Every structure is written in C-alpha cells, then in structure tokens.
Amino acid sequence: MSCQGVIARPVAAGRGTDSAARDPDGAGGRASRWEITTGHSGLGTSGSGDVLSGTIAGLRARGASDAQAACRGTHLHAAAGDRLASRLGSLGYLARELTEELPPLMMELSS
C-alpha cells in the first residue's frame, strides 16, 4: 500500500506545523512530505501518542520501511480517531479504544 492511496496530497517542505510524514516512495532520496488529512481533536488524550508510536513500531516489525511505517501508522492512528469521534463524540474516548479500531482499519486498507 502506498501512502499516496490514503493521504491527500504532497506538502511543500517547511509549510507550517501540519502533521506530515515522509513519502515512502520518494525517488532518488528526494522524499516529499505528505499531509495527513484524517484525525480529530480527540486524539489529544493521554496515551494517544503511545498508541501512535506502538502502531508505527508494529508496522516496522512487520517489515515496512521506516517511512512506510510512519506514513501508514500516522494515517491509521488518525483514522481510528475519526471513527471514535463519529461514534462517541469529539471528546471522551480513551487511548485504549484507539487500539481496538486498528485491526479493522488495517483489514479495510489492505483490501
């Protein structure tokens, strides 16, 4: 799976503080940055960053490159937050609930 399939558009280097990950398919060592267009403010909950780093580490352990794992993990984390926000509201979900959303999201994105 390429990040281009799940992330909207390239972001110019140095543009603000947007959440961005390096393009894992960057040619010739000139990796671009990709803006993550998913995610919700509810991700600002205690432990959410731990879930993100664990997701990235898990993808890396499964054989993804550093850049692929960062890109895919960031998207999965943000998409999990979107799902919880639509079901539970923008605030009030817990970091552990993010982890429950990850396997179904991975299945959807792999098909």
Side-chain angles (χ1 to χ4, degrees):
M1 166 176 82
S2 166
C3 277
Q4 292 175 350
V6 296
I7 299 176
R9 63 185 180 278
V11 177
R15 177 183 163 203
T17 58
D18 296 323
S19 176
R22 293 218 179 264
D23 176 11
D25 302 319
R30 267 185 79 195
S32 61
R33 291 171 31 142
W34 290 84
E35 181 178 1
I36 308 300
T37 59
T38 55
H40 202 274
S41 62
L43 289 170
T45 188
S46 178
S48 178
D50 296 325
V51 173
L52 172 59
S53 62
T55 301
I56 293 170
L59 291 169
R60 186 67 183 97
R62 292 173 57 125
S65 70
D66 290 343
Q68 288 171 331
C71 184
R72 294 173 187 166
T74 302
H75 174 74
L76 287 167
H77 179 256
D82 286 345
R83 282 195 175 183
L84 288 171
S86 69
R87 201 169 59 243
L88 303 175
S90 61
L91 299 174
Y93 56 85
L94 304 172
R96 71 170 181 252
E97 293 170 309
L98 290 166
T99 61
E100 297 166 3
E101 297 295 328
L102 296 175
L105 281 166
M106 290 178 74
M107 294 291 289
E108 289 172 24
L109 292 174
S110 68
S111 57

